[in-house]
Amino acid sequence: MVDIRKVGIIGAGQMGNGIAHVFALAGFNAVLNDINDEQIDKAFSVIEQNLARQVAKDKISAEDAQATLGRIGRSNQINDLADCHMVIEAATENIDLKKKILADLCMALNKDALVATNTSSISITALASSTDRPDKFIGLHFMNPVPVMQLVEVIRGIATSRETFETGKALVTQLGKTMAVSEDFPAFIVNRILMPMINEAIFTLYEGVGTVSAIDTGMKLGTNHPMGPLELADFIGLDTCLSIMQVLYEGLSDSKYRPCPLLIKYVEAGWLGRKTGRGFYDYAGDVPVATR
Ligand code: CAA
């Protein structure tokens, strides 16, 4: 197995900050990279808040929180990641963007380093082909919020070597998380099942079967889900939900994965959920208010 001590994370969004958090907390050195300095600032303040939350809940000590922060470096240049033993790409869910980032990364990165992607739906094999090391490439799909969620999906591309696969699985264990191994099919396991449910909840709203609050209350109290599907869609980001549905629809060529027109409309409007302050709920006040 490859000895991993320093991990780079590309993309300081909601997944990237969580991934940096859990690696640093587990004792790895992490470098959080983004082209946007403001995004990195925001990520660091989210990490600080989430570590403080863990201290307040007695999950970790204040010293551990401080040491964890001290193990996360910041970077706005891909070349800063050259000496990492592994780099995890956690950029926006867009295949062309991810391929470009991966190709640029490989030009800078030492040749023995492993590369992982946190894609939630895109083919690992396709992303691997944009690198100079498909054998050293793997999917490690974290769930949001990363510090809380126990699962990481581990996905091998067609060219992923056994050594890379074993290293990826060992890393998940070192993070104290549990893995589910998935074959490289569109949206893997979790999103193959979760996203059609969320899409169906949006159809249920679109067709007037129920209001936002009736749908979410129904699923929360009727099936014991911690969040209703519309609340969860806002939490994940409606743009991400739409791109996953598109990957399912195109990748499996089955009309049952057709994205709901209302989901498309919300994304066109820029109503992307929590991160933009509006989605199926309005987040302007202290308490989210259902919009339909
Ligand atoms: N960082 C660290 N800790 C956090 C946190 C964060 N970002 N958010 C919440 N927590 C902790 C809290 O401190 C609390 O800890 P204790 O259990 O020790 O008290 C615990 O998590 C629960 O938090 P809250 O009491 O504040 O709130 P809650 O009970 O409503 O739980 C939640 C929040 C954990 C997010 C819960 O609502 C939940 O599990 N929701 C579903 C999340 C989910 O389904 N995620 C997967 C999305 S799919 C995905 O990510 C894949 C993809 O590709 C799209």
Side-chain angles (χ1 to χ4, degrees):
M1 273 192 289
V2 184
D3 185 20
I4 310 280
R5 279 162 285 120
K6 184 169 182 182
V7 178
I9 298 106
I10 300 180
Q14 62 187 4
M15 298 309 290
N17 80 58
I19 296 170
H21 175 140
V22 296
F23 269 98
L25 185 58
F28 294 85
N29 289 314
V31 185
L32 188 53
N33 169 280
D34 201 294
I35 46 168
N36 180 342
D37 280 312
E38 264 174 46
Q39 187 70 34
I40 306 180
D41 291 340
K42 206 166 131 199
F44 269 87
S45 78
V46 172
I47 295 171
E48 266 185 68
Q49 279 166 31
N50 286 335
L51 285 168
R53 203 198 295 241
Q54 290 175 302
V55 173
K57 302 265 179 178
D58 266 342
K59 302 261 174 192
I60 61 172
S61 69
E63 293 74 34
D64 281 346
Q66 210 46 49
T68 299
L69 264 183
R71 280 192 289 271
I72 310 176
R74 54 181 297 154
S75 135
N76 58 10
Q77 303 285 328
I78 207 96
N79 289 345
D80 300 336
L81 305 179
D83 63 345
C84 288
H85 304 114
M86 174 184 255
V87 175
I88 304 175
E89 170 279 314
T92 307
E93 199 64 0
N94 172 315
I95 189 165
D96 296 329
L97 175 73
K98 283 183 187 288
K99 282 187 161 186
K100 164 96 176 63
I101 289 172
L102 290 167
D104 289 349
L105 168 69
C106 285
M107 284 195 270
L109 189 61
N110 86 77
K111 66 174 182 21
D112 297 324
L114 304 188
V115 180
T117 173
N118 180 55
T119 179
S120 44
S121 60
I122 299 169
S123 162
I124 303 304
T125 302
L127 291 176
S129 74
S130 65
T131 73
D132 57 2
R133 61 195 86 192
D135 57 320
K136 294 188 168 61
F137 192 87
I138 193 163
L140 294 178
H141 180 215
F142 291 81
M143 306 293 137
N144 187 20
V146 182
V148 183
M149 302 300 283
Q150 192 55 42
L151 187 81
V152 181
E153 280 183 294
V154 178
I155 311 110
R156 260 174 305 184
I158 200 165
T160 307
S161 70
R162 170 170 280 277
E163 188 187 35
T164 304
F165 184 46
E166 294 304 327
T167 306
K169 288 194 294 182
L171 274 177
V172 174
T173 307
Q174 281 173 273
L175 294 176
K177 300 217 180 265
T178 303
M179 76 197 84
V181 173
S182 170
E183 294 302 327
D184 187 17
F185 279 87
F188 319 125
I189 294 172
V190 172
N191 282 328
R192 169 91 176 245
I193 300 168
L194 175 67
M195 276 310 151
M197 184 198 72
I198 287 177
N199 196 46
E200 198 59 31
I202 304 170
F203 268 113
T204 309
L205 178 69
Y206 178 63
E207 291 171 11
V209 181
T211 60
V212 167
S213 109
I215 292 165
D216 276 352
T217 305
M219 292 305 287
K220 262 201 300 206
L221 302 187
T223 63
N224 263 5
H225 289 190
M227 287 177 170
L230 301 174
E231 187 189 356
L232 183 57
D234 275 1
F235 181 66
I236 292 167
L238 302 191
D239 51 342
T240 302
C241 293
L242 178 58
S243 50
I244 296 171
M245 284 312 297
Q246 278 160 341
V247 167
L248 279 167
Y249 186 48
E250 284 155 26
L252 297 166
S253 303
D254 189 330
S255 63
K256 76 178 178 181
Y257 299 111
R258 175 173 76 102
C260 178
L262 188 63
L263 173 60
I264 297 171
K265 197 59 77 193
Y266 270 48
V267 172
E268 282 172 355
W271 296 349
L272 306 183
R274 268 180 189 274
K275 62 186 170 189
T276 59
R278 184 181 173 134
F280 294 108
Y281 292 84
D282 186 327
Y283 298 91
D286 289 342
V287 181
V289 178
T291 54
R292 274 169 188 257

